[in-house]
Amino acid sequence: RSRGLGDVYKRQNQLKVVVPIRNIGDGELQIRVQTSFLNLEKQPIGDDTNRRLEIIAPGMTKNHTVISTKAEARDWVMRIGPN
């Protein structure tokens, strides 16, 4: 579980999150990434992404980018796990 990493900013009443994910292993990395957006009170607002598949080659970094669909998004939680 990852929280508070990456570049976060407001644009057109949407919250955009960009988190670099790096594969430091010797083999291909297959992970699932899901982001949940939260309000000012850190409560979920029902704005969750699907569990997206990311495939990252050894030694590579991929920027995972998500944008909220609701204007009340003020924070986020990202879950990263194996595929």
Side-chain angles (χ1 to χ4, degrees), residues 8-22:
V8 182
Y9 60 93
K10 293 291 288 181
R11 181 173 164 240
Q12 297 178 348
N13 291 327
Q14 293 173 303
L15 187 62
K16 181 177 180 180
V17 180
V18 180
V19 176
I21 303 171
R22 182 164 191 196

Side-chain angles (χ1 to χ4, degrees), residues 30-48:
Q30 291 190 21
I31 57 172
R32 293 280 177 174
V33 183
Q34 182 179 36
T35 305
S36 298
F37 290 96
L38 313 173
N39 64 17
L40 283 172
E41 291 78 36
K42 311 291 187 212
Q43 299 297 313
I45 59 172
D47 187 0
D48 301 336

Side-chain angles (χ1 to χ4, degrees), residues 2-8 19 75-78:
S2 176
R3 187 177 184 289
L5 302 174
D7 178 29
V8 182
V19 176
D75 202 358
W76 53 278
V77 175
M78 186 174 286

